[in-house]
């Protein structure tokens, strides 16, 4: 998937302009990179459009993921994107749905298994059978 397609999909799902969707995508992916192990961040980045690679950089001193729940995830996205938490929650869901289309199903599962159960409400819509995915 190309960068503009990725951001355009997030824009459609969030009902925002593409510039705003790019900001929401950046905030979500930067926060996701903090929550995943370093190796998984690199694996994910390898399947995304090149302009998104820089947003997914593992912490330089450790392979370990930061441990924080879904509420903190949304709060971090909201701070980064300068928006309210409802907007951030919608954006996170849109980015996960777009990731599901942009990366292989195996890689998406590798990402999801690193997230605790309280992320379910944000991730499950992307797992729905109606979600289009790359094989």
């Amino acid at each position: 998937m190309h960068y503009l397609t990725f951001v355009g999909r997030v824009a459609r799902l969030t009902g925002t302009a593409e510039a705003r969707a790019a900001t929401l995508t950046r905030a979500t992916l930067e926060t996701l990179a903090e929550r995943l192990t370093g190796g998984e961040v690199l694996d994910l980045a390898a399947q995304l459009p090149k302009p998104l690679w820089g947003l997914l950089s593992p912490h330089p001193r450790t392979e370990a993921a930061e441990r924080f729940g879904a509420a903190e995830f949304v709060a971090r996205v909201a701070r980064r994107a300068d928006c309210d938490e409802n907007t951030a929650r919608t954006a996170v869901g849109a980015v996960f749905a777009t990731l599901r289309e942009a990366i292989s199903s195996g890689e998406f599962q590798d990402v999801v298994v690193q997230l605790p159960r309280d992320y379910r409400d944000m991730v499950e819509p992307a797992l729905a059978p109606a979600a289009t995915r790359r094989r």
Side-chain angles (χ1 to χ4, degrees):
M1 180 179 288
H2 295 283
Y3 173 77
L4 292 176
T5 303
F6 193 103
V7 170
R9 174 87 167 117
V10 172
R12 281 189 302 283
L13 292 172
T14 58
T16 62
E18 288 193 8
R20 184 67 178 142
T23 298
L24 295 166
T25 297
R26 175 192 50 77
T28 302
L29 291 177
E30 287 174 350
T31 305
L32 183 60
E34 294 170 345
R35 188 60 188 81
L36 299 176
T37 61
E40 189 53 45
V41 170
L42 295 174
D43 291 347
L44 175 59
Q47 292 194 25
L48 289 175
K50 206 173 215 176
L52 298 177
W53 291 358
L55 304 176
L56 289 163
S57 52
H59 194 279
R61 294 174 297 189
T62 183
E63 163 68 9
E66 285 187 49
R67 301 272 181 213
F68 53 88
E72 176 61 19
F73 191 100
V74 169
R76 289 182 186 201
V77 171
R79 281 191 301 275
R80 284 187 164 116
D82 192 28
C83 65
D84 62 70
E85 290 192 4
N86 286 333
T87 300
R89 191 173 291 103
T90 298
V92 169
V95 171
F96 273 109
T98 305
L99 282 174
R100 180 72 168 142
E101 294 178 17
I103 63 177
S104 70
S105 59
E107 181 57 31
F108 189 79
Q109 287 301 320
D110 289 348
V111 167
V112 170
V113 299
Q114 289 199 15
L115 303 174
R117 297 192 90 184
D118 67 334
Y119 283 68
R120 181 178 299 159
D121 290 341
M122 295 185 298
V123 175
E124 275 187 352
L127 295 171
T132 305
R133 61 183 176 174
R134 194 180 94 191
R135 298 192 192 266

